[in-house]
Amino acid sequence: MSPYVPILGVLFFSAILLAVMIVASLVIGPKKYNRVKYMPYECGIDPTPKATGGGRFPVKYYITAMMFLVFDIEIAFLYPWVVAFDQLSMFVVLSMIVFLLLLCIAYFYEYKRGGMEWD
């Protein structure tokens, strides 16, 4: 017997279960259209109307997103490095210091652009 047969069995069973759940939700679920249900939700208050010209977002949102990405990349690269720190050569340690300095440049850029000021 192939070792992949149980894995294929689990995948087949989960696909069948998924199909049954989707069909059951379509059959059992409510069919009434509710306008309030399909409205965008903004922290319990009525959503603001869209501005003319497509509703442009302030640059602060993009700077915050960039700050999250820089932090996320930093954690993704630092975590394995910290786990194996005692087994690393001096070259790897120096290259990580250069990487951290580059990230500090990104943080400094965000600070200068006002991304760390919360009004």
Side-chain angles (χ1 to χ4, degrees), residues 52-72:
T52 57
R56 300 180 71 164
F57 288 101
V59 177
K60 185 174 251 0
Y61 291 116
Y62 299 110
I63 292 177
T64 304
M66 187 175 75
M67 188 169 159
F68 170 75
L69 288 175
V70 169
F71 181 73
D72 192 35

Side-chain angles (χ1 to χ4, degrees), residues 1-15:
M1 187 168 175
S2 174
Y4 296 109
V5 171
I7 296 172
L8 291 174
V10 168
L11 288 175
F12 179 73
F13 177 73
S14 62

Side-chain angles (χ1 to χ4, degrees), residues 18 44 55 80 101 103 108 114:
L18 175 69
L101 288 175
L103 286 178
F108 182 72

